Amino acid sequence: MPHSPLLLHPSAADAGGRVHHVTPESAGWTYVGFDAHDLPDGGSIAAETGAREVCIVMVSGRARVTAGDRDFGVIGERASVFEGRPWSVYVPANSRFTVAAEGACEVAVCSAPGTGARPALLIPPEDVSEETRGKGSNTRHVRNILADTDERAESLLVVEVVTPPGNWSSYPPHKHDRDAVPDETLLEETYYHRFTPAQGYGVQRVYTDDRSLDETMTVRDRDVV
């Protein structure tokens, strides 16, 4: 039985170590893009941002990161997303960036339209606030890399969410397809799931009120075949 088009599995790495590639065109929406790269020791990414702003997140490992004419040095210190807050770099539109691995590392590249109005910025772990949302079996812990109130980016919202075993992460069911502040904000979202232990799994349901879309997906860690 074919898998849902809403659930993407990692592909074989290309020359830049890219294993996930989501664009507004491939997702069928307007704004958000997401790439994940597995870089071997000495591997690198080099890209122009064009009309998009970018947030580079060190998922694991260490790399030297540059943005425009700024060299932010070697950043990253955790072995996995479950070992503390991340190092990240914001790169404005109409710029460029490089990521050069210092040992094997995993890098996420989040993007959205931008004009270049914000400067490049290093976001160290101590600048990533943490908050707990929900209660009981809905409890989850949010690491705000670029929060919805953060003015360091033009439109990007980037967070990590650590959900305890057996808990729900997006409860109660909600949607983001209308710009109707304060009741609802218009958002496009990608979820990049990792599990510990790797043989763990999650369940995600996506549906519309009229049930013209109603899919329930079992999500595994990318390291489990």
Side-chain angles (χ1 to χ4, degrees):
M1 190 174 176
H3 70 266
S4 168
L6 299 176
L7 179 62
L8 303 182
H9 299 287
S11 61
D14 64 14
R18 189 171 62 189
V19 294
H20 277 296
H21 183 47
V22 178
T23 67
E25 293 76 21
S26 69
W29 54 36
T30 307
Y31 305 109
V32 168
F34 176 84
D35 289 349
H37 297 255
D38 281 351
L39 295 180
D41 185 18
S44 64
I45 310 166
E48 303 283 335
T49 58
R52 300 182 68 79
E53 60 177 356
V54 164
C55 184
I56 300 164
V57 181
M58 295 301 301
V59 179
S60 66
R62 293 161 53 84
R64 177 177 293 276
V65 179
T66 69
D69 58 0
R70 299 192 62 182
D71 184 346
F72 291 109
V74 178
I75 65 172
E77 56 191 20
R78 61 185 186 174
S80 78
V81 292
F82 303 103
E83 299 183 18
R85 292 171 289 178
W87 287 80
S88 305
V89 171
Y90 171 78
V91 189
N94 305 313
S95 185
R96 63 190 182 279
F97 67 87
T98 64
V99 180
E102 299 267 338
C105 65
E106 186 180 358
V107 181
V109 180
C110 315
S111 69
T115 66
R118 306 286 193 271
L121 177 73
L122 177 67
I123 307 173
E126 57 266 28
D127 287 352
V128 177
S129 65
E130 294 186 326
E131 61 179 299
T132 298
R133 297 182 186 172
K135 60 183 179 180
S137 62
N138 305 321
T139 301
R140 62 270 197 192
H141 310 288
V142 181
R143 300 167 178 163
N144 293 304
I145 300 167
L146 289 171
D148 54 354
T149 57
D150 200 324
E151 296 184 355
R152 294 176 296 180
E154 293 187 69
S155 61
L156 265 176
L157 192 167
V158 181
V159 303
E160 290 183 346
V161 180
V162 180
T163 305
N167 281 18
W168 290 104
S169 193
S170 292
Y171 190 88
H174 60 280
K175 64 188 185 71
H176 297 292
D177 61 358
R178 292 188 308 138
D179 193 11
V181 178
D183 299 319
E184 183 179 346
T185 54
L186 178 63
L187 292 176
E188 296 173 349
E189 296 179 298
T190 60
Y191 290 78
Y192 182 49
H193 296 276
R194 301 306 302 265
F195 296 89
T196 184
Q199 66 266 29
Y201 66 92
V203 175
Q204 184 167 16
R205 184 183 180 200
V206 180
Y207 63 92
T208 56
D209 286 343
D210 64 4
R211 300 303 192 268
S212 58
L213 171 65
D214 191 348
E215 298 198 23
T216 301
M217 297 160 281
T218 301
V219 184
R220 300 179 301 174
D221 192 276
R222 48 161 292 174
D223 291 334
V224 174
V225 177

PDB file of all heavy atoms in Angstrom, residues 195-214:
ATOM      1  N   PHE A 195      13.427   9.931  17.132  1.00  0.00           N
ATOM      2  CA  PHE A 195      12.969   9.158  18.288  1.00  0.00           C
ATOM      3  C   PHE A 195      14.150   8.612  19.077  1.00  0.00           C
ATOM      4  O   PHE A 195      15.206   8.317  18.512  1.00  0.00           O
ATOM      5  CB  PHE A 195      12.081   8.002  17.829  1.00  0.00           C
ATOM      6  CG  PHE A 195      10.803   8.437  17.170  1.00  0.00           C
ATOM      7  CD1 PHE A 195      10.752   8.663  15.803  1.00  0.00           C
ATOM      8  CD2 PHE A 195       9.656   8.647  17.921  1.00  0.00           C
ATOM      9  CE1 PHE A 195       9.588   9.079  15.191  1.00  0.00           C
ATOM     10  CE2 PHE A 195       8.484   9.062  17.315  1.00  0.00           C
ATOM     11  CZ  PHE A 195       8.441   9.282  15.949  1.00  0.00           C
ATOM     12  N   THR A 196      13.947   8.489  20.371  1.00  0.00           N
ATOM     13  CA  THR A 196      14.898   7.776  21.222  1.00  0.00           C
ATOM     14  C   THR A 196      14.119   6.884  22.170  1.00  0.00           C
ATOM     15  O   THR A 196      13.236   7.372  22.889  1.00  0.00           O
ATOM     16  CB  THR A 196      15.822   8.746  21.995  1.00  0.00           C
ATOM     17  OG1 THR A 196      16.780   7.962  22.733  1.00  0.00           O
ATOM     18  CG2 THR A 196      15.081   9.666  22.934  1.00  0.00           C
ATOM     19  N   PRO A 197      14.379   5.570  22.162  1.00  0.00           N
ATOM     20  CA  PRO A 197      15.312   4.861  21.279  1.00  0.00           C
ATOM     21  C   PRO A 197      14.830   4.879  19.831  1.00  0.00           C
ATOM     22  O   PRO A 197      13.664   5.149  19.568  1.00  0.00           O
ATOM     23  CB  PRO A 197      15.327   3.440  21.848  1.00  0.00           C
ATOM     24  CG  PRO A 197      13.974   3.273  22.463  1.00  0.00           C
ATOM     25  CD  PRO A 197      13.641   4.631  23.056  1.00  0.00           C
ATOM     26  N   ALA A 198      15.738   4.572  18.911  1.00  0.00           N
ATOM     27  CA  ALA A 198      15.434   4.716  17.484  1.00  0.00           C
ATOM     28  C   ALA A 198      14.287   3.834  17.035  1.00  0.00           C
ATOM     29  O   ALA A 198      13.615   4.143  16.050  1.00  0.00           O
ATOM     30  CB  ALA A 198      16.687   4.421  16.654  1.00  0.00           C
ATOM     31  N   GLN A 199      14.040   2.720  17.754  1.00  0.00           N
ATOM     32  CA  GLN A 199      12.943   1.843  17.334  1.00  0.00           C
ATOM     33  C   GLN A 199      11.579   2.355  17.783  1.00  0.00           C
ATOM     34  O   GLN A 199      10.552   1.711  17.539  1.00  0.00           O
ATOM     35  CB  GLN A 199      13.150   0.413  17.850  1.00  0.00           C
ATOM     36  CG  GLN A 199      13.083   0.265  19.365  1.00  0.00           C
ATOM     37  CD  GLN A 199      14.446   0.339  20.021  1.00  0.00           C
ATOM     38  OE1 GLN A 199      15.336   0.998  19.500  1.00  0.00           O
ATOM     39  NE2 GLN A 199      14.605  -0.344  21.145  1.00  0.00           N
ATOM     40  N   GLY A 200      11.539   3.505  18.452  1.00  0.00           N
ATOM     41  CA  GLY A 200      10.267   4.109  18.824  1.00  0.00           C
ATOM     42  C   GLY A 200       9.504   4.602  17.603  1.00  0.00           C
ATOM     43  O   GLY A 200      10.002   4.582  16.480  1.00  0.00           O
ATOM     44  N   TYR A 201       8.287   5.059  17.817  1.00  0.00           N
ATOM     45  CA  TYR A 201       7.474   5.547  16.699  1.00  0.00           C
ATOM     46  C   TYR A 201       6.441   6.535  17.223  1.00  0.00           C
ATOM     47  O   TYR A 201       6.191   6.634  18.431  1.00  0.00           O
ATOM     48  CB  TYR A 201       6.768   4.392  15.976  1.00  0.00           C
ATOM     49  CG  TYR A 201       5.733   3.675  16.815  1.00  0.00           C
ATOM     50  CD1 TYR A 201       4.398   4.062  16.786  1.00  0.00           C
ATOM     51  CD2 TYR A 201       6.107   2.621  17.647  1.00  0.00           C
ATOM     52  CE1 TYR A 201       3.448   3.426  17.561  1.00  0.00           C
ATOM     53  CE2 TYR A 201       5.160   1.968  18.425  1.00  0.00           C
ATOM     54  CZ  TYR A 201       3.839   2.373  18.388  1.00  0.00           C
ATOM     55  OH  TYR A 201       2.898   1.743  19.154  1.00  0.00           O
ATOM     56  N   GLY A 202       5.860   7.286  16.318  1.00  0.00           N
ATOM     57  CA  GLY A 202       4.800   8.222  16.653  1.00  0.00           C
ATOM     58  C   GLY A 202       3.622   8.042  15.720  1.00  0.00           C
ATOM     59  O   GLY A 202       3.738   7.419  14.659  1.00  0.00           O
ATOM     60  N   VAL A 203       2.488   8.581  16.105  1.00  0.00           N
ATOM     61  CA  VAL A 203       1.282   8.549  15.281  1.00  0.00           C
ATOM     62  C   VAL A 203       0.823   9.982  15.059  1.00  0.00           C
ATOM     63  O   VAL A 203       0.704  10.757  16.012  1.00  0.00           O
ATOM     64  CB  VAL A 203       0.160   7.731  15.953  1.00  0.00           C
ATOM     65  CG1 VAL A 203      -1.123   7.816  15.130  1.00  0.00           C
ATOM     66  CG2 VAL A 203       0.583   6.282  16.142  1.00  0.00           C
ATOM     67  N   GLN A 204       0.609  10.348  13.815  1.00  0.00           N
ATOM     68  CA  GLN A 204       0.154  11.699  13.487  1.00  0.00           C
ATOM     69  C   GLN A 204      -1.088  11.614  12.609  1.00  0.00           C
ATOM     70  O   GLN A 204      -1.127  10.870  11.624  1.00  0.00           O
ATOM     71  CB  GLN A 204       1.255  12.480  12.768  1.00  0.00           C
ATOM     72  CG  GLN A 204       0.868  13.925  12.490  1.00  0.00           C
ATOM     73  CD  GLN A 204       2.057  14.780  12.066  1.00  0.00           C
ATOM     74  OE1 GLN A 204       3.104  14.272  11.696  1.00  0.00           O
ATOM     75  NE2 GLN A 204       1.887  16.084  12.123  1.00  0.00           N
ATOM     76  N   ARG A 205      -2.106  12.396  12.963  1.00  0.00           N
ATOM     77  CA  ARG A 205      -3.332  12.445  12.168  1.00  0.00           C
ATOM     78  C   ARG A 205      -3.505  13.856  11.621  1.00  0.00           C
ATOM     79  O   ARG A 205      -3.341  14.841  12.347  1.00  0.00           O
ATOM     80  CB  ARG A 205      -4.550  12.058  13.009  1.00  0.00           C
ATOM     81  CG  ARG A 205      -5.849  11.995  12.200  1.00  0.00           C
ATOM     82  CD  ARG A 205      -7.043  11.681  13.069  1.00  0.00           C
ATOM     83  NE  ARG A 205      -8.280  11.628  12.279  1.00  0.00           N
ATOM     84  CZ  ARG A 205      -9.488  11.757  12.785  1.00  0.00           C
ATOM     85  NH1 ARG A 205      -9.650  11.915  14.098  1.00  0.00           N
ATOM     86  NH2 ARG A 205     -10.554  11.716  12.014  1.00  0.00           N
ATOM     87  N   VAL A 206      -3.831  13.945  10.355  1.00  0.00           N
ATOM     88  CA  VAL A 206      -4.080  15.220   9.683  1.00  0.00           C
ATOM     89  C   VAL A 206      -5.447  15.124   9.010  1.00  0.00           C
ATOM     90  O   VAL A 206      -5.699  14.190   8.242  1.00  0.00           O
ATOM     91  CB  VAL A 206      -2.996  15.518   8.627  1.00  0.00           C
ATOM     92  CG1 VAL A 206      -3.279  16.859   7.947  1.00  0.00           C
ATOM     93  CG2 VAL A 206      -1.606  15.523   9.257  1.00  0.00           C
ATOM     94  N   TYR A 207      -6.332  16.085   9.312  1.00  0.00           N
ATOM     95  CA  TYR A 207      -7.667  16.002   8.724  1.00  0.00           C
ATOM     96  C   TYR A 207      -8.281  17.398   8.606  1.00  0.00           C
ATOM     97  O   TYR A 207      -7.855  18.342   9.256  1.00  0.00           O
ATOM     98  CB  TYR A 207      -8.589  15.110   9.561  1.00  0.00           C
ATOM     99  CG  TYR A 207      -8.855  15.593  10.966  1.00  0.00           C
ATOM    100  CD1 TYR A 207      -9.957  16.405  11.252  1.00  0.00           C
ATOM    101  CD2 TYR A 207      -8.009  15.235  12.013  1.00  0.00           C
ATOM    102  CE1 TYR A 207     -10.209  16.846  12.536  1.00  0.00           C
ATOM    103  CE2 TYR A 207      -8.247  15.673  13.315  1.00  0.00           C
ATOM    104  CZ  TYR A 207      -9.345  16.479  13.567  1.00  0.00           C
ATOM    105  OH  TYR A 207      -9.591  16.919  14.842  1.00  0.00           O
ATOM    106  N   THR A 208      -9.279  17.501   7.746  1.00  0.00           N
ATOM    107  CA  THR A 208     -10.054  18.725   7.591  1.00  0.00           C
ATOM    108  C   THR A 208     -11.442  18.515   8.187  1.00  0.00           C
ATOM    109  O   THR A 208     -11.872  17.379   8.415  1.00  0.00           O
ATOM    110  CB  THR A 208     -10.192  19.104   6.107  1.00  0.00           C
ATOM    111  OG1 THR A 208     -10.762  18.000   5.400  1.00  0.00           O
ATOM    112  CG2 THR A 208      -8.831  19.436   5.508  1.00  0.00           C
ATOM    113  N   ASP A 209     -12.156  19.611   8.420  1.00  0.00           N
ATOM    114  CA  ASP A 209     -13.485  19.510   9.028  1.00  0.00           C
ATOM    115  C   ASP A 209     -14.431  18.645   8.207  1.00  0.00           C
ATOM    116  O   ASP A 209     -15.233  17.883   8.755  1.00  0.00           O
ATOM    117  CB  ASP A 209     -14.098  20.905   9.215  1.00  0.00           C
ATOM    118  CG  ASP A 209     -13.460  21.668  10.362  1.00  0.00           C
ATOM    119  OD1 ASP A 209     -12.799  21.013  11.200  1.00  0.00           O
ATOM    120  OD2 ASP A 209     -13.624  22.899  10.426  1.00  0.00           O
ATOM    121  N   ASP A 210     -14.336  18.765   6.884  1.00  0.00           N
ATOM    122  CA  ASP A 210     -15.254  17.989   6.047  1.00  0.00           C
ATOM    123  C   ASP A 210     -14.716  16.591   5.727  1.00  0.00           C
ATOM    124  O   ASP A 210     -15.340  15.829   5.001  1.00  0.00           O
ATOM    125  CB  ASP A 210     -15.567  18.738   4.752  1.00  0.00           C
ATOM    126  CG  ASP A 210     -14.333  18.934   3.871  1.00  0.00           C
ATOM    127  OD1 ASP A 210     -13.242  18.422   4.218  1.00  0.00           O
ATOM    128  OD2 ASP A 210     -14.462  19.612   2.823  1.00  0.00           O
ATOM    129  N   ARG A 211     -13.548  16.244   6.273  1.00  0.00           N
ATOM    130  CA  ARG A 211     -12.903  14.937   6.105  1.00  0.00           C
ATOM    131  C   ARG A 211     -12.531  14.635   4.655  1.00  0.00           C
ATOM    132  O   ARG A 211     -12.304  13.474   4.304  1.00  0.00           O
ATOM    133  CB  ARG A 211     -13.756  13.803   6.667  1.00  0.00           C
ATOM    134  CG  ARG A 211     -14.069  13.922   8.157  1.00  0.00           C
ATOM    135  CD  ARG A 211     -12.800  14.024   8.999  1.00  0.00           C
ATOM    136  NE  ARG A 211     -13.083  13.864  10.418  1.00  0.00           N
ATOM    137  CZ  ARG A 211     -13.351  14.876  11.257  1.00  0.00           C
ATOM    138  NH1 ARG A 211     -13.376  16.112  10.791  1.00  0.00           N
ATOM    139  NH2 ARG A 211     -13.586  14.647  12.532  1.00  0.00           N
ATOM    140  N   SER A 212     -12.464  15.677   3.815  1.00  0.00           N
ATOM    141  CA  SER A 212     -11.955  15.439   2.468  1.00  0.00           C
ATOM    142  C   SER A 212     -10.474  15.049   2.531  1.00  0.00           C
ATOM    143  O   SER A 212      -9.955  14.404   1.617  1.00  0.00           O
ATOM    144  CB  SER A 212     -12.149  16.683   1.595  1.00  0.00           C
ATOM    145  OG  SER A 212     -11.491  17.809   2.159  1.00  0.00           O
ATOM    146  N   LEU A 213      -9.821  15.463   3.607  1.00  0.00           N
ATOM    147  CA  LEU A 213      -8.487  14.973   3.947  1.00  0.00           C
ATOM    148  C   LEU A 213      -8.567  14.387   5.346  1.00  0.00           C
ATOM    149  O   LEU A 213      -8.987  15.068   6.287  1.00  0.00           O
ATOM    150  CB  LEU A 213      -7.460  16.110   3.913  1.00  0.00           C
ATOM    151  CG  LEU A 213      -6.066  15.761   4.453  1.00  0.00           C
ATOM    152  CD1 LEU A 213      -5.389  14.720   3.575  1.00  0.00           C
ATOM    153  CD2 LEU A 213      -5.205  17.011   4.568  1.00  0.00           C
ATOM    154  N   ASP A 214      -8.201  13.132   5.482  1.00  0.00           N
ATOM    155  CA  ASP A 214      -8.217  12.474   6.797  1.00  0.00           C
ATOM    156  C   ASP A 214      -7.218  11.324   6.738  1.00  0.00           C
ATOM    157  O   ASP A 214      -7.534  10.240   6.255  1.00  0.00           O
ATOM    158  CB  ASP A 214      -9.620  11.980   7.132  1.00  0.00           C
ATOM    159  CG  ASP A 214      -9.733  11.547   8.596  1.00  0.00           C
ATOM    160  OD1 ASP A 214      -8.688  11.414   9.267  1.00  0.00           O
ATOM    161  OD2 ASP A 214     -10.871  11.342   9.063  1.00  0.00           O
TER     162      ASP A 214
END
